[in-house]
Amino acid sequence: MTAEQSERDADFQGFMASRWPRLLRTAYLLTGEQHAAEDLAQTALERAYVAWRRVTQAEDPDAYVRRILINAHSRRFRHGRRPELPHGQSGGTEGTQHTEDRDRIAQADDRLALLPALLALPPRQRQAVVLRYWEDLSVDEAAAAMGCSTGTIKSQTAKALDKLRKSPALKQPTVDARERAAGKER
């Protein structure tokens, strides 16, 4: 291995280590399943490694890798490999430690309700929502990541938000919210 290859590998390893958690969370929101998210994130990083010279020369390497992630996720849907959760499974978040902080429990309840609602969205709508609201990208950045126009991002996001607002899972207050409301009535 040459010194240049060694330096390239070290550079990529540092990039990968610093971006892995966020990339994995984004992949999880896109797929809804931990193992599929890990596979998707690994696929994206594998492709980024192969194209590492282009990634480092890009204006925004994070955007470049995010685009690789979105493209890899889209390919899975084109080839008919749609991730599904077994009936009654909530996405692998059971068994988390219970804390005394009720707000954290309410947040977990909200996440448990949000994941099935996100998974019910069509892939493009889910991608638009995840990029706009989880990744906090602008309309232009999300359009670049998905390889579409800004109008498409706006319409896909609007349709997705409308579906999420109508989702029965998101309309039901959590047990904790009901307890807080009951406490205020006393």
Side-chain angles (χ1 to χ4, degrees), residues 6-107:
S6 179
E7 185 178 320
R8 175 184 176 217
D9 287 351
D11 188 30
F12 176 78
Q13 200 169 24
F15 178 87
M16 181 189 71
S18 67
R19 299 332 191 267
W20 177 254
R22 186 174 187 121
L23 198 63
L24 185 60
R25 284 189 299 265
T26 301
Y28 182 76
L29 289 171
L30 291 172
T31 64
E33 203 272 320
Q34 185 67 32
H35 297 294
E38 290 170 358
D39 288 346
L40 181 60
Q42 287 174 0
T43 298
L45 287 174
E46 176 184 321
R47 291 179 182 160
Y49 180 76
V50 170
W52 188 240
R53 185 166 283 137
R54 287 185 304 236
V55 172
T56 57
Q57 292 172 353
E59 189 175 310
D60 184 358
D62 290 323
Y64 195 102
V65 174
R66 191 179 311 110
R67 177 70 187 264
I68 292 172
L69 181 80
I70 296 296
N71 288 344
H73 179 254
S74 296
R75 279 188 202 99
R76 288 176 180 227
F77 278 92
R78 271 188 241 135
H79 296 293
R81 289 180 275 152
R82 297 170 193 245
E84 294 181 18
L85 293 175
H87 180 69
Q89 186 174 344
S90 64
T93 55
E94 299 101 3
T96 56
Q97 290 183 327
H98 295 283
T99 64
E100 295 300 315
D101 185 356
R102 302 299 289 166
D103 290 336
R104 292 182 64 106
I105 292 173
Q107 288 175 345

Side-chain angles (χ1 to χ4, degrees), residues 47-174:
R47 291 179 182 160
Y49 180 76
V50 170
W52 188 240
R53 185 166 283 137
R54 287 185 304 236
V55 172
T56 57
Q57 292 172 353
E59 189 175 310
D60 184 358
D62 290 323
Y64 195 102
V65 174
R66 191 179 311 110
R67 177 70 187 264
I68 292 172
L69 181 80
I70 296 296
N71 288 344
H73 179 254
S74 296
R75 279 188 202 99
R76 288 176 180 227
F77 278 92
R78 271 188 241 135
H79 296 293
R81 289 180 275 152
R82 297 170 193 245
E84 294 181 18
L85 293 175
H87 180 69
Q89 186 174 344
S90 64
T93 55
E94 299 101 3
T96 56
Q97 290 183 327
H98 295 283
T99 64
E100 295 300 315
D101 185 356
R102 302 299 289 166
D103 290 336
R104 292 182 64 106
I105 292 173
Q107 288 175 345
D109 289 344
D110 291 344
R111 279 192 296 267
L112 287 174
L114 181 60
L115 185 59
L118 273 176
L119 292 175
L121 295 174
R124 300 268 301 171
Q125 290 178 10
R126 185 177 332 133
Q127 289 172 355
V129 168
V130 168
L131 291 174
R132 288 283 290 129
Y133 298 105
W134 175 258
E135 289 289 325
D136 199 26
L137 299 182
S138 70
V139 172
D140 293 333
E141 292 169 330
M146 288 179 60
C148 61
S149 70
T150 57
T152 300
I153 291 295
K154 290 176 183 179
S155 69
Q156 293 293 312
T157 303
K159 289 175 186 176
L161 291 176
D162 186 50
K163 287 181 183 179
L164 289 172
R165 284 184 191 106
K166 293 177 182 176
S167 172
L170 296 178
K171 285 187 176 185
Q172 297 174 353
T174 62

